[in-house]
Amino acid sequence: MDHTFLLKEGLWRSQGEYFDGAGALTGVEGEAHIRHYPDKWVYEGVLRTRTSAPRESKNLYEIQPFVAGNFATAWTSKRASFGTLHGRFIVVGDAILSAYESATGRYRGQDTILRRDERHYSARGTLLDGGKILSAWSFELRLA
């Protein structure tokens, strides 16, 4: 499967839904910018709530470039509220999977990014605090 999200540079627009731990739904929209450098890849994402007083969430991932023949690679992301998150992107058929946890192991989560076509992916995921759901999301990514 020839993936265009993450494995190639690009700017992606996102739109979808964010659920808090109580299940309250909020519409979100944003961008994901993927840049490749010789020593690392950078995935910079921004999500904004579609509310009267929008809130913005930013994520910056540093990704080890995939080595030829490998289907998995490591990534890290630093967030004030969770500390450093360590994860892996795993390419399996039409999906890019990601499993991650904080340095302490308290926070963990997963993402599934499904290829619909070369310009469209669907993302689903959740973040947990121990056994408690902190958030879940469902959004569509389209190449800008």
Side-chain angles (χ1 to χ4, degrees):
M1 177 74 51
D2 186 28
H3 283 277
T4 50
F5 183 76
L6 189 63
L7 282 80
K8 295 184 180 178
E9 291 188 308
L11 177 63
W12 295 78
R13 304 278 183 222
S14 60
Q15 187 170 345
E17 301 171 322
Y18 171 89
F19 302 85
D20 68 15
L25 169 69
T26 304
V28 292
E29 61 188 9
E31 301 83 35
H33 193 185
I34 312 295
R35 295 182 310 276
H36 290 181
Y37 301 100
D39 61 333
K40 66 181 173 184
W41 295 352
V42 175
Y43 171 167
E44 191 171 5
V46 177
L47 278 179
R48 290 175 293 283
T49 59
R50 290 183 293 179
T51 56
S52 57
R55 288 178 305 169
E56 189 172 89
S57 173
K58 294 182 180 183
N59 291 310
L60 180 70
Y61 301 83
E62 290 193 2
I63 304 161
Q64 293 178 2
F66 279 85
V67 174
N70 284 355
F71 67 99
T73 195
W75 62 263
T76 59
S77 178
K78 294 180 180 151
R79 300 202 39 198
S81 50
F82 307 115
T84 300
L85 299 175
H86 300 276
R88 295 188 69 74
F89 284 116
I90 305 158
V91 177
V92 180
D94 65 346
I96 301 171
L97 308 175
S98 182
Y100 54 91
E101 68 180 17
S102 63
T104 64
R106 176 178 174 182
Y107 301 104
R108 57 190 164 78
Q110 66 82 32
D111 284 292
T112 300
I113 306 166
L114 292 171
R115 184 183 193 271
R116 303 301 186 186
D117 64 46
E118 65 184 20
R119 302 181 63 82
H120 176 205
Y121 281 74
S122 297
R124 311 291 186 258
T126 189
L127 175 64
L128 305 168
D129 179 352
K132 179 182 174 188
I133 298 170
L134 291 180
S135 60
W137 49 90
S138 169
F139 54 87
E140 303 302 308
L141 295 154
R142 297 194 192 289
L143 190 59

